[in-house]
Structures are given as C-alpha cells and as structure tokens.
Amino acid sequence: VDESMNPPHSRHELHAQHEAAAIEARLAAAKQNSYLGDAVLGAIDGCVTTFAVVAGAAGAALPASVAIILGLANLLADGFSMAASNFLGTRAENQYRDQARRRELDEVNKWPEGEREEVRQIYARKGFDGPLLDEVVRVLTSDKERWVDVMIQEEHGMALGGHDAARAGLATFGAFLLVGLVPLLP
C-alpha cells in the first residue's frame, strides 16, 4: 500500500512527514505510475455500453439468453477495443516524448546558447531574475540530461516518465470487464 496516498490524521503525523529525513525518503522513493485513470475509463465505458446492449435486447423483447450473449460479446469486443486503443495511445505518447527528448538533446548540442536562452526565459517567467536567474540557468544547463528534462517538462509540458502501455491497456480491459459485468448480473 502506498502510504503517500493516506493523508496524515494527527498533527504529530503531519509534522513527522515534514521532517528532513521523511522528505528525503519520500522524494528518493521510486515514483510509481498510477493506472487509475485507465481503469476509470474502462469501467465507465464497460458499464455504459453493456447496459445499452442489455437494455436494447430487453427493449426488443429478446430472450434473456440472447441479452446475456450480446452483453458478453460486447464485454469482449468493446473491452478489447478500448484496451487496444489505450495501449496504442499510451505507446504513441511515450514515443512522442522520446522523440521530443532526442530533438531537444540535438538542439542542446547544436544550439546551446539558444537553448540556454529558452531556460532563462522559462525561469524569468517564474519570477527569477538577476544573479539568482543566472545561477539557476547555469546549474540547470550544466548537465545535459537535467537540461533536456527541463525542456521536456517546461517547454513541452510533458511528464518525464511514461506509462507502461501494456499495463495501461490491461487496466482498461480489466476494469471494463469487471464493471461491465454489473448490468449482466440482474
């Protein structure tokens, strides 16, 4: 269980979470991707589309066995479609981020002064100025990986890490099946 998802309940717990060692441990811990959004997407669609199929079959006065067969066919076909779409969309986002990273690294190598000026303007807009701005730019651009990370986040507005496309698809499919069964149960 991810303890960072449970808010502190007491003043003592809140204080303890803001001690230097606790902050350091929390920031050093590996960031885990959340697939909650993928699951919610699948769950809502699974419930709605299966309900529509079952309601349509019932409205047409089809036997219950036909409604169940149509509902199960919807669960498998539409669930697979949602999962495949989410898998491909997530993979495309990851590929786009990787392409942007390569392009930014190429620009840092070929036009370092222009890229340094971009960092300067980004942080000037955040309120840094004078010698402090110069130092921030110097530090951020002293390491190419960190420099490219800044450009990915600040210029392109992308998160540094991507989702695992297969897990995103599986989360969508699993939630689609699980919640999509609800309209079939009655």
Side-chain angles (χ1 to χ4, degrees):
V1 173
D2 182 3
E3 290 300 319
S4 68
M5 296 300 291
N6 297 322
H9 296 290
S10 72
R11 183 170 173 77
H12 176 72
E13 288 174 322
L14 184 60
H15 179 73
Q17 286 186 0
H18 288 85
E19 294 288 329
I23 293 168
E24 182 179 359
R26 188 171 56 248
L27 293 175
K31 302 281 189 260
Q32 293 186 1
N33 284 323
S34 170
Y35 296 95
L36 180 61
D38 303 299
V40 169
L41 179 72
I44 298 299
D45 196 50
C47 186
V48 170
T49 59
T50 306
F51 175 78
V53 168
V54 171
L62 297 174
S65 60
V66 172
I68 291 171
I69 291 169
L70 290 173
L72 289 173
N74 176 73
L75 281 175
L76 294 176
D78 199 14
F80 176 78
S81 174
M82 288 285 298
S85 296
N86 196 17
F87 168 81
L88 293 171
T90 301
R91 188 176 72 175
E93 285 180 16
N94 290 341
Q95 290 169 341
Y96 182 73
R97 180 184 305 96
D98 292 344
Q99 181 184 37
R101 179 173 289 287
R102 286 189 302 274
R103 186 175 55 250
E104 283 299 331
L105 183 58
D106 185 54
E107 290 175 3
V108 163
N109 287 326
K110 289 181 179 173
W111 301 286
E113 289 312 309
E115 290 297 302
R116 194 170 279 112
E117 179 59 24
E118 285 184 33
V119 172
R120 176 175 302 289
Q121 289 187 28
I122 287 167
Y123 282 88
R125 288 181 178 174
K126 291 179 182 282
F128 292 87
D129 63 358
L132 181 58
L133 176 60
D134 294 338
E135 181 66 9
V136 167
V137 171
R138 186 193 66 73
V139 169
L140 291 175
T141 61
S142 66
D143 175 88
K144 284 185 182 178
E145 186 173 331
R146 180 176 45 228
W147 190 349
V148 170
D149 284 350
V150 166
M151 301 311 288
I152 293 299
Q153 289 178 307
E154 301 295 337
E155 182 182 8
H156 296 282
M158 292 185 232
L160 293 178
H163 279 0
D164 180 298
R167 286 185 180 181
L170 285 173
T172 301
F173 188 65
F176 190 102
L177 290 178
L178 185 66
V179 178
L181 281 171
V182 172
L184 286 176
L185 294 177

